[in-house]
Amino acid sequence: MVFGQVVIGPPGSGKTTYCNGMSQFLKLIGRKVAVINLDPANDALPYECAVNIEDLIKLSDVMAEHSLGPNGGLVYCMDFLEKNIDWLESKLKPLLEDHYLLFDFPGQVELFFLHSNAKNMITRLVKKLDLRLTAVHLVDAHLCCDPGKYVSALLLSLSTMLHLELPHINVLSKIDLIEKYGKLAFNLEFYTDVQDLSYLQRHLDQDPRSTKYRKLTKELCDVIEDFGLVNFATLDIQDKESVGNLVKLIDKSNGYIFASIQGSVVDFSKIAAAPLNWDYYRYPFGQCDAFNPTNLLTTSVGMAGLIPEMTAESWGVLYVAWHTTVCCRAHNTITS
């Protein structure tokens, strides 16, 4: 099995910088990485790419020959690549044995929720080359400072998730620069967890520019909440801890963490449960002893007497059970 990432997102969200930083990080932790540049407009690459679409077709040549603008020329290049997908497959085959793949895609968002060429190419590569890919959708974190732009980012993320049909992780990139664009109306967890957008609608109602779009905004927010699929991780590409946390999410989503395991169910459970210091620390009840996972288990009926005899492996299994019992996405709802 071959693992990798499909890096997508609007222009300026930091896809090329992400590929450069992520490739360096993965090399430092011992993975052989191959970056595949599929953006014909990206002519100043900061990384060394194993496959470059410019070897097949050049955007400048297409624009000159067919009298197309940048967007039209890029769509033409992607259509041409889809029709010559055999070229890409032949370039990828030597890398399949021991490389981790990073696909750097163009920034035109219509390619990932409107046109079918990118989806067709990814689907064919996944099926024919047996790839395990995760779509990493980057969104500039500064959009959180503008409620209207944030709703647009949510809708774009949802549309892309439904269109590509891949394991998908949405990322607020450049999180280290977010304060430079103004103060957030709510805390950061509100924007990453996408829990109750009614608060955002009230904030939008205070802006006279968005008054006439009030009903439209409400309907869009209802659609996003009804699907319940969108949330965000955060990323500072210059912070190794931030990059490492994102790599853990990606590895879980595409199954990389399970690829080398040949153990029992307990081994899988321990990995599925880790890391133990997770979302409950982000919510008010996470700091309350009553909802500490250790106390929750020890106060369970018939469980208190078993705790002193439990091994580390047993703790891993019980943690998965606790995870299914407590809904950490909504801090005010606990089911048992």
Side-chain angles (χ1 to χ4, degrees):
M1 292 182 290
V2 184
F3 298 90
Q5 304 174 28
V6 175
V7 184
I8 57 178
S13 57
K15 296 181 297 300
T16 299
T17 303
Y18 172 88
C19 289
N20 185 31
M22 181 59 70
S23 63
Q24 294 180 25
F25 180 87
L26 293 175
K27 289 176 182 177
L28 289 175
I29 63 176
R31 301 187 195 180
K32 294 183 67 175
V33 182
V35 185
I36 296 92
N37 175 43
L38 297 182
D39 184 359
N42 198 353
D43 54 357
L45 298 174
Y47 52 77
E48 181 181 353
C49 58
V51 182
N52 194 342
I53 191 176
E54 283 202 343
D55 296 335
L56 175 67
I57 188 171
K58 292 186 177 181
L59 178 61
S60 57
D61 295 341
V62 170
M63 293 171 60
E65 182 177 350
H66 299 280
S67 300
L68 295 172
N71 287 336
L74 188 140
V75 173
Y76 182 96
C77 290
M78 298 305 291
D79 287 337
F80 187 82
L81 177 61
E82 181 185 4
K83 293 178 181 178
N84 294 272
I85 191 68
D86 294 339
W87 172 87
L88 181 58
E89 292 176 359
S90 64
K91 292 287 186 179
L92 291 177
K93 283 182 180 179
L95 306 173
L96 299 182
E97 184 175 349
D98 56 357
H99 280 76
Y100 187 96
L101 306 180
L102 292 176
F103 291 88
D104 188 2
F105 270 85
Q108 275 64 16
V109 296
E110 60 267 23
L111 294 173
F112 305 104
F113 75 91
L114 183 61
H115 293 293
S116 60
N117 48 22
K119 176 184 177 181
N120 293 340
M121 286 188 292
I122 294 171
T123 302
R124 173 162 174 171
L125 292 176
V126 168
K127 291 182 178 180
K128 190 168 183 179
L129 302 181
D130 195 23
L131 304 184
R132 302 293 190 271
L133 301 177
T134 292
V136 180
H137 186 239
L138 302 181
V139 174
D140 199 320
H142 88 270
L143 298 180
C144 297
C145 299
D146 187 319
K149 293 180 180 178
Y150 177 68
V151 172
S152 299
L154 291 176
L155 196 61
L156 172 63
S157 300
L158 176 61
S159 301
T160 304
M161 294 174 74
L162 298 177
H163 184 70
L164 287 184
E165 299 178 352
L166 284 175
H168 193 105
I169 295 179
N170 297 303
V171 180
L172 291 176
S173 62
K174 308 178 188 178
I175 197 66
D176 53 315
L177 304 176
I178 191 171
E179 293 182 352
K180 292 186 177 181
Y181 297 96
K183 187 177 180 180
L184 296 177
F186 308 98
N187 58 25
L188 184 60
E189 285 76 12
F190 174 85
Y191 297 96
T192 56
D193 294 346
V194 196
Q195 290 185 4
D196 190 350
L197 297 180
S198 61
Y199 294 100
L200 193 67
Q201 294 172 41
R202 297 186 196 124
H203 186 69
L204 274 169
D205 291 343
Q206 300 174 4
D207 187 349
R209 296 174 300 176
S210 61
T211 303
K212 62 180 179 179
Y213 304 114
R214 183 179 302 170
K215 186 176 180 181
L216 174 62
T217 302
K218 181 182 183 302
E219 295 299 328
L220 292 177
C221 290
D222 289 344
V223 169
I224 295 167
E225 288 189 321
D226 287 344
F227 275 95
L229 296 176
V230 184
N231 56 25
F232 292 95
T234 58
L235 174 66
D236 175 5
I237 195 62
Q238 297 180 343
D239 182 6
K240 63 179 181 180
E241 184 176 352
S242 177
V243 178
N245 290 334
L246 181 59
V247 169
K248 292 177 184 178
L249 290 176
I250 296 171
D251 288 348
K252 278 190 175 184
S253 67
N254 59 24
Y256 183 91
I257 59 173
F258 301 109
S260 60
I261 296 181
Q262 297 180 353
S264 63
V265 175
V266 174
D267 295 322
F268 283 89
S269 300
K270 287 192 294 184
I271 290 181
L276 298 184
N277 54 338
W278 61 318
D279 282 356
Y280 60 79
Y281 284 119
R282 300 167 54 189
Y283 300 105
F285 74 79
Q287 301 171 2
C288 176
D289 289 338
F291 291 98
N292 183 280
T294 302
N295 293 339
L296 182 63
L297 289 174
T298 54
T299 54
S300 299
V301 178
M303 189 63 68
L306 298 177
I307 298 299
E309 302 176 2
M310 291 178 64
T311 64
E313 294 182 349
S314 300
W315 271 111
V317 176
L318 282 176
Y319 191 83
V320 176
W322 177 79
H323 169 40
T324 59
T325 305
V326 179
C327 179
C328 288
R329 292 298 310 279
H331 66 268
N332 60 343
T333 304
I334 299 178
T335 57
S336 60

